[in-house]
Amino acid sequence: EVQLVESGGGLVQAGGSLRLSCAASGFTFRGYAIGWFRQAPGKEREGVSCISSSDGTTDYADSVKGRFTISRDNAKNTVYLQMNSLKPEDTAVYYCARRSVWSSCSRDVQAYSYWGRGTQVTVSS
């Protein structure tokens, strides 16, 4: 059974940092791209970042470029999202997800079939 479990969320002041973790199990982790998404109240889920399985290619939404860094540790079956210089508009539930088939990076919600339950990130002003 594919499982993805997020952790590391919390309450932080604007300008602060958090590191989210996504622990995966139930599949060959190194063979799949992993994405981070977020959903704020009343808004659609959006792709924040992704990392491919093969060469570690990454992609970021313009709103987080230069502030967020995605990485993966295939030995630990874990993907991380380091979030620096956080802003109140980063407040959302953050989800990690596994691509359905392909190993390449994508920030399209429709490209992912397996999702974690999410972790809340709240940035106060």
Side-chain angles (χ1 to χ4, degrees):
E1 179 188 5
V2 174
Q3 287 194 329
L4 299 162
V5 180
E6 303 93 340
S7 62
L11 173 63
V12 64
Q13 287 189 332
S17 298
L18 285 173
R19 188 176 81 154
L20 304 184
S21 298
C22 171
S25 61
F27 63 98
T28 304
F29 180 75
R30 63 180 181 274
Y32 293 89
I34 302 292
W36 280 102
F37 298 80
R38 66 186 180 187
Q39 188 165 18
K43 294 189 176 181
E44 292 188 353
R45 192 169 295 189
E46 64 169 344
V48 174
S49 183
C50 60
I51 186 165
S52 71
S53 64
S54 52
D55 58 4
T57 300
T58 59
D59 188 33
Y60 298 92
D62 287 343
S63 58
V64 306
K65 256 177 207 174
R67 300 189 298 122
F68 290 12
T69 303
I70 191 171
S71 61
R72 65 189 296 159
D73 185 338
N74 288 339
K76 295 183 178 180
N77 286 5
T78 302
V79 171
Y80 304 97
L81 186 68
Q82 178 66 44
M83 306 188 296
N84 298 330
S85 302
L86 282 161
K87 305 175 181 179
E89 51 263 46
D90 294 318
T91 295
V93 178
Y94 283 71
Y95 301 88
C96 66
R98 195 206 87 177
R99 279 209 71 172
S100 307
V101 178
W102 304 112
S103 63
S104 59
C105 186
S106 171
R107 287 188 291 111
D108 181 358
V109 171
Q110 301 302 319
Y112 292 79
S113 292
Y114 299 94
W115 295 81
R117 293 188 176 184
T119 185
Q120 176 70 47
V121 171
T122 303
V123 185
S124 63
S125 57

